[in-house]
Amino acid sequence: MIKEIIEKYLDKTSILEKASKELGDRTKYIGSSDIGNCPRKVYLMKKEYKPTLSDLVKFARGHAFEPIIAEVFQLAGYKYEPQKEIVHPKYDYVQAHIDYFFHNKDMTKIRVVELKTVSTTPESAYPSWVDQVQYQLGTVKAVYPNAEIKGSILVVNVANGDIVEFNGMEPIDSVYKNLLQRAELLIDAIRNDEEPEPEIGFHCAWCPFRENCPAFTENDIDLPEDVVEEIKAYSELNEQKREIEAKIKEKRSELINVLGVGYKGSVSGYKVSVSQVETERLDTRALKENAPEVYDQYKKTLKYVKLDVKTS
């Protein structure tokens, strides 16, 4: 009952209504949060997607935290403009909505800050985040060409309270040129109602359009380098796990042989004991052979996803 009420009225709360008004009609422009995402996802999000309750909760979480950080900046005496809209002077479909826009009086020094609320703290900024800020920095530079412009990504982990900042970012002309080309392709696709080709990346894990995505119609697909690197890292960690488990088993056997069953003691701050333990387990193989009707009555089918990575 309460969940249904939240689902019905959450998007009408002042926080989300304000955010919606600030962003305007998103089919008319390519924003900085669009530019690093899969073109197909951006197109479908703008054309036909209605946010789920989970989406609304995540949107609310991010927007609800913005005024808290804003008050921190105010208490520290820093002046800024929240949700600053920057529109490219030549391409009106290139727009950036900046969470915190710091600048001096004559606009010769500008600092762009993008806030991200997460539940898992990343070791480095995601590529889509970097593209987002580069898009902001480049658009700001197009409007204020003589300013000294820098940017950073402020990451707040709402699960454990970690705060991480990826700073020192500056506009890179070659990167922004590519992002402008990408924005042009996206806006043309939207205006012409032509669904663009998908791009595989980590954003696929959270994509609401993954189920019927043409990028995954075949198993042997080209993966981006960052995904390939993660596969390598996963394989290496698994190998380390096997080696560690083998060493643990060996050490366990050695210690049991040395100490003997029944040993109890404290050594250098460690409490150590070796005991004989008896447990009871159901012999499912025997049950299946001797009482198949009982086995069938109480068996349970479990489904899970298995990831298997082997060197070729």
Side-chain angles (χ1 to χ4, degrees), residues 236-251:
E236 290 171 1
L237 287 172
N238 257 338
E239 187 60 36
Q240 292 174 23
K241 176 186 174 183
R242 284 191 287 269
E243 293 175 358
I244 291 172
E245 287 177 341
K247 290 180 180 178
I248 290 174
K249 186 176 181 181
E250 181 183 350
K251 293 297 179 186

Side-chain angles (χ1 to χ4, degrees), residues 108-252:
T108 57
K109 292 185 177 181
I110 297 173
R111 175 76 176 270
V112 168
V113 178
E114 175 67 23
L115 174 66
K116 296 295 183 184
T117 54
V118 299
S119 54
T120 303
T121 307
E123 294 182 1
S124 59
Y126 296 124
S128 60
W129 292 358
V130 175
D131 284 344
Q132 181 177 359
V133 175
Q134 279 296 328
Y135 192 73
Q136 294 173 351
L137 295 174
T139 306
V140 170
K141 184 177 179 180
V143 177
Y144 304 101
N146 297 320
E148 177 188 307
I149 305 166
K150 293 186 178 181
S152 64
I153 303 171
L154 180 64
V155 182
V156 178
N157 188 322
V158 295
N160 63 16
D162 282 348
I163 297 179
V164 178
E165 183 180 10
F166 303 110
N167 54 21
M169 301 176 67
E170 297 182 1
I172 302 175
D173 292 341
S174 59
V175 172
Y176 187 60
K177 181 179 179 181
N178 291 334
L179 295 177
L180 284 180
Q181 293 173 351
R182 187 179 181 86
E184 183 180 6
L185 291 173
L186 285 169
I187 199 65
D188 285 345
I190 293 166
R191 289 171 176 172
N192 298 325
D193 290 322
E194 296 177 353
E195 183 179 309
E197 292 294 319
E199 292 179 357
I200 298 175
F202 282 107
H203 43 247
C204 296
W206 304 279
C207 181
F209 313 106
R210 166 68 183 269
E211 185 175 350
N212 60 348
C213 180
F216 293 93
T217 54
E218 297 181 5
N219 288 327
D220 195 9
I221 55 180
D222 291 330
L223 296 174
E225 187 60 32
D226 56 347
V227 176
V228 174
E229 289 302 317
E230 287 299 310
I231 290 175
K232 291 179 181 177
Y234 177 84
S235 177
E236 290 171 1
L237 287 172
N238 257 338
E239 187 60 36
Q240 292 174 23
K241 176 186 174 183
R242 284 191 287 269
E243 293 175 358
I244 291 172
E245 287 177 341
K247 290 180 180 178
I248 290 174
K249 186 176 181 181
E250 181 183 350
K251 293 297 179 186
R252 175 180 174 276

Side-chain angles (χ1 to χ4, degrees), residues 260-276:
V261 176
Y263 174 86
K264 285 186 179 181
S266 297
V267 182
S268 300
Y270 296 97
K271 290 184 178 180
V272 183
S273 66
V274 183
S275 56
Q276 186 75 49

